[in-house]
């Protein structure tokens, strides 16, 4: 589109237009060839003479740069490939179109003289990289047809969502164009457009209890709304004189709309390529696809020359849970007493041992994938070699990502001490086949993980434990980190988590190493005290000694150089800050170092809640390093 604004057309886009002219005209000539039997010699001679005269007129018009003779052909092609023509017509495109039209007239003359259109057009088609005449002159393969073919080539339910997602976005951007119109130049424009999509695009206007149907919101509308909101935030900060530009960028990183990450864009690139490859099954020519580096370079070139420019993406880092957050979670009302099944975050006298109670504990203590635990059957609880175990991703309907996901893992002592086996043994017959049927019923589309994840994320948010990086899914990484710290071998950790384990399938490895795996799993010490309370007929969590829960809050502002301009550490129980540092131009290095040493003394006694912003965390850590 930038090329059109400059009255230029990228060579690949020009070729796309000319290819559609060639296709349309060769198909017309083939139809005329098939109908020639009813024409007289005089009629054919008159037609030949008319074409020769037309070619002479085309040459004269070219000398005058008068492209009106091919305007209709170009306009028809531009509508087909959804690519507007430059206004006025450029000499380069007009000249190429005139040359093509004369060559097509020559082919038509040969056909009128009795030759077949196929050999008559060999040289012309070769110049456009086309070998198979009969496939080429058929109706072009449209993007919607490529979508349908891609679904046939990749029929698994897990692939359908990815294919449908890229197809809908591509159709909105390109229109239902022939796949030959999706040139590398147009791909660049597509990915630059997609890079502006909000990270949560398409998630804020679905069905709810007030609307029976989801509202249709165009991606362009979402982009424009996000751009407008970001503009207001940026301009408001731009005019502030009381803070540095580094501080402004740090604030913008928190306030601007997160856009699609580079990782997501690369996945979309692969999905689009999958569609272009599938189109070849329908007779479309092979299309060149942008490489990862080409996508990255093009997006980098789109960044404006603005000292406050920040592109916020918020990629998932999936950090292991901190000891402080684990302690707060394990002693939360979910496990120590809540108000009701619908108010798990409020203190009360109810401990409801269902999926909301057991699934997070199993994921945390076994490091399993969430879906694997949600889909456990009652028959997956087994006793092997004297140890209660879970047969994960077992049976013909294997839910694991790979064959290595199928494994038998002993139950951690924490779950045994909390009475998991007794709970399982007491389940009534009407409970059903699954261990956690109520969790599966949350999903109406078969995606049990997302449905349960949303439910649990809501509870974590109410508990004040919602975190972008240390989320529910990161619990899996938490166990791996704890086992690594406890010197559990790589092979055992991989077998427990269901990762690929050398050349031995996990189902065999875990089945014959139950005792060793039980000892390895129990090396993850959550320092929980379990006992009994009068209200409950089962063991409960009394306390966790993993970390103190009375953390100090750290607030940081930045200098233009990205260092800590101010650091304030607060205690909720006091109105006065525990630590207060202000960087001044008159300060010496010794004075800053003394402040860092005072900070070190505080860190030795209390845990901290650091700023979410990465730049502010880095500045705070640098100040610590000066001690």
């Amino acid at each position: 589109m930038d090329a059109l604004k400059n009255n230029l057309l990228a060579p690949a886009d020009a070729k796309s237009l000319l290819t559609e002219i060639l296709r349309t005209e060769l198909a017309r000539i083939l139809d005329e060839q098939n109908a020639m039997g009813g024409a007289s010699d005089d009629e054919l001679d008159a037609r030949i003479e008319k074409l020769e005269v037309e070619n002479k007129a085309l040459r004269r018009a070219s000398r005058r740069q008068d492209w009106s003779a091919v305007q209709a052909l170009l306009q028809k092609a531009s509508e087909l490939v959804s690519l507007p023509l430059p206004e006025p017509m450029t000499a380069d495109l007009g000249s190429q179109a005139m040359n093509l039209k004369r060559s097509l007239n020559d082919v038509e003359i040969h056909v009128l003289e009795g030759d077949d259109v196929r050999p008559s057009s060999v040289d012309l088609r070769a110049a456009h990289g086309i070998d198979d005449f009969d496939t080429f002159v058929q109706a072009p393969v449209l993007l919607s047809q490529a979508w349908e073919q891609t679904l046939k080539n990749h029929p698994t339910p897990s692939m359908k969502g990815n294919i449908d997602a890229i197809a809908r976005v591509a159709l909105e951007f390109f229109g239902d164009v022939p796949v030959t119109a999706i040139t590398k130049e147009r791909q660049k424009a597509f990915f630059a457009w997609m890079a502006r999509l909000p990270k949560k695009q398409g998630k804020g206007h679905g069905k709810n209890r007030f609307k029976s149907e989801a509202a249709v919101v165009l991606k362009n509308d979402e982009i424009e709304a996000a751009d407008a909101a970001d503009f207001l935030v940026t301009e408001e900060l731009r005019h502030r004189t009381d803070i540095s530009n580094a501080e402004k960028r740090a604030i913008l990183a928190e306030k601007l709309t997160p856009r699609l990450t580079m990782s997501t864009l690369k996945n979309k690139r692969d999905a689009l390529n999958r569609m272009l490859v599938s189109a070849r099954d329908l007779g479309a020519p092979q299309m060149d696809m942008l490489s990862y580096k080409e996508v990255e370079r093009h997006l980098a070139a789109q960044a404006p020359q603005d000292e406050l420019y920040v592109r916020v993406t918020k990629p998932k880092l999936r950090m292991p849970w901190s000891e402080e957050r684990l302690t707060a979670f394990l002693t939360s009302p979910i496990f120590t007493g809540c108000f009701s099944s619908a108010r798990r975050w409020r203190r009360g006298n109810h401990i409801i041992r269902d999926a909301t109670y057991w699934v997070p504990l199993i994921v945390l203590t076994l490091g399993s994938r969430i879906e694997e635990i949600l889909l456990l059957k009652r028959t997956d609880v087994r006793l092997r070699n004297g140890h209660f175990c879970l047969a994960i991703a077992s049976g013909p309907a294997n839910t694991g990502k790979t064959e290595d996901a199928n494994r038998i893992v002993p139950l951690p002592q924490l779950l045994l001490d909390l009475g998991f086996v007794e709970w399982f043994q007491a389940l009534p017959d009407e409970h059903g086949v699954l261990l956690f049927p109520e969790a599966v019923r949350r999903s109406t589309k078969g995606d049990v993980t997302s449905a349960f994840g949303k439910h649990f994320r809501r509870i974590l948010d109410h508990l004040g434990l919602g975190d972008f990086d240390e989320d529910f899914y990161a619990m899996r990484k938490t166990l791996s980190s704890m086992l690594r710290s406890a010197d559990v071998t790589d092979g055992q950790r991989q077998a427990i988590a269901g990762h690929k384990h050398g050349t031995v399938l996990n189902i065999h490895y875990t089945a014959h190493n139950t005792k060793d795996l039980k000892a390895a799993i129990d090396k993850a010490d959550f320092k929980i005290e379990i006992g009994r309370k009068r209200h409950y007929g089962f063991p409960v969590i009394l306390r966790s000694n993993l970390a103190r829960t009375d953390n100090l809050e750290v607030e940081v502002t930045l200098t233009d150089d990205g260092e800590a301009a101010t650091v304030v550490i607060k205690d909720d129980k006091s109105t006065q800050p525990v630590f207060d540092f202000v960087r001044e131009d008159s300060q010496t290095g010794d004075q800053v170092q003394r402040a860092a040493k005072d900070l070190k003394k505080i860190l030795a006694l209390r845990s901290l809640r650091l700023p979410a912003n990465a730049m502010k965390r880095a500045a705070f850590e640098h100040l610590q390093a000066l001690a």
Side-chain angles (χ1 to χ4, degrees):
M1 305 314 294
D2 290 338
L4 288 178
K5 290 177 183 176
N6 296 322
N7 207 36
L8 299 172
L9 198 63
D13 290 334
K15 181 181 178 182
S16 179
L17 288 170
L18 298 174
T19 298
E20 291 310 317
I21 292 176
L22 179 62
R23 185 200 313 278
T24 302
E25 289 299 287
L26 286 180
R28 178 185 61 78
I29 294 171
L30 177 62
D31 290 341
E32 288 189 358
Q33 174 180 299
N34 294 334
M36 275 174 51
S40 65
D41 288 342
D42 290 342
E43 289 173 331
L44 295 176
D45 288 341
R47 177 62 182 151
I48 292 171
E49 183 178 353
K50 184 178 179 181
L51 290 170
E52 290 173 342
V53 170
E54 182 179 350
N55 271 357
K56 291 180 181 178
L58 290 173
R59 291 190 183 92
R60 297 190 194 99
S62 292
R63 290 197 291 265
R64 300 192 307 271
Q65 294 196 354
D66 175 7
W67 319 119
S68 57
V70 291
Q71 186 70 38
L73 289 174
L74 284 168
Q75 187 60 45
K76 183 177 179 181
S78 76
E79 292 171 359
L80 187 62
V81 300
S82 294
L83 185 65
L85 295 175
E87 290 288 348
M89 182 70 65
T90 61
D92 183 54
L93 179 60
S95 177
Q96 290 184 74
M98 292 289 250
N99 289 335
L100 177 60
K101 177 57 178 169
R102 291 202 306 270
S103 297
L104 285 165
N105 285 348
D106 290 338
V107 170
E108 189 171 356
I109 288 171
H110 284 294
V111 171
L112 291 171
E113 289 177 341
D115 294 336
D116 185 82
V117 66
R118 293 167 180 83
S120 299
S121 62
V122 165
D123 292 340
L124 181 56
R125 287 186 285 113
H128 286 77
I130 298 159
D131 296 324
D132 190 334
F133 175 91
D134 292 297
T135 300
F136 177 65
V137 296
Q138 293 175 5
V141 178
L142 302 178
L143 188 56
S144 59
Q145 295 170 317
W147 179 6
E148 184 178 349
Q149 184 62 35
T150 309
L151 291 172
K152 292 178 181 177
N153 291 351
H154 305 276
T156 60
S158 60
M159 288 295 294
K160 186 179 187 303
N162 293 332
I163 295 167
D164 289 347
I166 187 62
R168 292 191 184 99
V169 175
L171 281 170
E172 179 174 333
F173 182 82
F174 295 111
D176 197 7
V177 298
V179 293
T180 52
I182 305 178
T183 62
K184 293 183 77 170
E185 286 302 315
R186 297 189 77 183
Q187 290 171 33
K188 288 180 180 178
F190 176 56
F191 285 109
W193 176 76
M194 272 211 303
R196 295 166 57 204
L197 276 170
K199 182 180 178 67
K200 294 185 177 180
Q201 49 92 18
K203 297 181 181 178
H205 41 76
K207 294 181 182 179
N208 58 38
R209 62 194 179 96
F210 301 108
K211 295 186 292 186
S212 59
E213 295 184 0
V216 177
V217 178
L218 296 178
K219 302 302 180 186
N220 259 332
D221 294 339
E222 293 192 76
I223 289 173
E224 290 178 5
D227 286 351
D230 285 359
F231 176 80
L232 292 176
V233 171
T234 303
E235 293 309 304
E236 181 180 352
L237 278 172
R238 191 185 303 279
H239 295 97
R240 287 185 59 177
T241 58
D242 59 323
I243 55 176
S244 67
N245 282 336
E247 180 69 14
K248 291 177 182 178
R249 287 192 292 271
I251 295 173
L252 287 171
E254 298 301 319
K255 290 191 173 183
L256 294 181
T257 307
R259 311 298 174 118
L260 296 187
T261 65
M262 183 57 67
S263 176
T264 299
L265 291 171
K266 288 179 179 178
N267 289 337
K268 299 295 185 185
R269 177 261 175 213
D270 291 343
L272 181 61
N273 184 53
R274 201 174 290 121
M275 291 183 65
L276 297 182
V277 170
S278 296
R280 291 163 57 186
D281 296 342
L282 302 175
Q286 179 175 344
M287 295 296 297
D288 290 334
M289 188 72 208
L290 289 174
S291 67
Y292 289 164
K293 286 188 176 180
E294 287 175 316
V295 172
E296 289 176 344
R297 283 197 295 264
H298 182 67
L299 295 185
Q302 308 306 305
Q305 297 297 315
D306 184 349
E307 59 186 4
L308 293 187
Y309 173 71
V310 179
R311 183 173 186 270
V312 179
T313 58
K314 288 195 176 180
K316 281 283 187 184
L317 299 179
R318 290 278 153 78
M319 301 289 291
W321 280 44
S322 66
E323 291 182 345
E324 293 76 20
R325 294 188 73 245
L326 278 175
T327 299
F329 173 66
L330 292 171
T331 56
S332 70
I334 300 173
F335 307 109
T336 58
C338 65
F339 185 78
S340 68
S341 61
R343 297 288 186 272
R344 301 291 181 104
W345 53 87
R346 286 181 58 185
R347 291 288 175 191
N349 296 321
H350 300 281
I351 297 180
I352 303 160
R353 298 199 300 175
D354 56 3
T356 304
Y357 179 95
W358 288 118
V359 171
L361 288 176
I362 298 174
V363 171
L364 179 61
T365 57
L366 282 181
S368 307
R369 298 177 181 90
I370 298 171
E371 183 182 28
E372 294 173 338
I373 304 307
L374 291 171
L375 296 181
L376 280 172
K377 302 180 293 294
R378 293 170 70 175
T379 54
D380 290 331
V381 182
R382 304 178 186 178
L383 185 67
R384 174 163 294 193
N385 299 328
H387 296 282
F388 282 98
C389 302
L390 292 178
I392 297 177
S394 65
N398 189 336
T399 60
K401 286 188 175 182
T402 67
E403 202 171 0
D404 298 278
N406 191 352
R407 61 202 187 277
I408 297 174
V409 185
L411 283 168
Q413 195 61 40
L414 173 61
L415 297 181
L416 296 175
D417 291 345
L418 284 172
F420 177 82
V421 171
E422 291 77 10
W423 169 82
F424 152 74
Q425 291 172 341
L427 292 176
D429 292 340
E430 57 268 22
H431 185 84
V433 175
L434 298 175
L435 268 181
F436 308 112
E438 75 281 5
V440 175
R441 285 194 294 267
R442 288 185 179 278
S443 172
T444 58
K445 298 181 179 179
D447 185 0
V448 295
T449 304
S450 294
F452 186 80
K454 289 177 182 177
H455 155 73
F456 201 72
R457 184 166 60 246
R458 177 169 169 263
I459 295 175
L460 291 178
D461 288 342
H462 279 291
L463 289 171
L465 294 173
D467 188 277
F468 185 74
D469 293 323
E470 295 180 36
D471 62 2
F472 181 26
Y473 303 87
M475 284 184 175
R476 176 169 158 84
K477 181 173 285 190
T478 302
L479 180 79
S480 179
S481 177
M482 295 179 75
L483 294 181
R484 188 183 297 110
S485 298
D487 295 326
V488 174
T489 66
D490 288 346
Q492 287 179 322
R493 285 189 286 107
Q494 291 166 354
I496 292 167
H499 292 160
K500 187 171 181 61
H501 179 62
T503 59
V504 181
L505 292 180
N506 277 346
I507 186 63
H508 300 301
Y509 179 83
T510 57
H512 293 90
N513 292 270
T514 313
K515 180 180 178 181
D516 294 340
L517 287 177
K518 177 72 166 64
I521 288 173
D522 288 338
K523 286 185 178 180
D525 186 4
F526 295 92
K527 293 181 171 58
I528 287 177
E529 292 184 30
I530 296 174
R532 291 186 177 270
K533 287 187 175 181
R534 182 170 52 85
H535 303 295
Y536 313 110
F538 47 80
V540 298
I541 294 175
L542 300 178
R543 63 186 60 84
S544 172
N545 300 313
L546 195 61
R548 296 184 59 170
T549 56
D550 54 341
N551 302 326
L552 300 175
E553 186 79 25
V554 179
E555 297 178 357
V556 179
T557 62
L558 301 174
T559 66
D560 277 326
D561 296 330
E563 293 190 282
T566 65
V567 175
V568 179
I569 300 180
K570 297 180 178 179
D571 188 338
D572 293 338
K573 299 175 182 178
S574 173
T575 57
Q576 297 298 317
V578 176
F579 177 82
D580 191 357
F581 167 76
V582 179
R583 188 184 298 273
E584 298 176 355
D585 293 337
S586 59
Q587 281 176 329
T588 65
D590 288 341
Q591 289 173 313
V592 175
Q593 193 173 48
R594 280 197 297 273
K597 289 179 179 178
D598 291 340
L599 175 60
K600 185 176 181 180
K601 293 176 184 177
I602 296 172
L603 296 176
L605 300 174
R606 300 285 293 275
S607 299
L608 303 178
R609 288 196 300 272
L610 298 180
N613 183 271
M615 292 182 287
K616 294 189 176 185
R617 285 201 304 269
F620 180 74
E621 290 167 351
H622 173 66
L623 180 61
Q624 293 181 66
L626 297 177

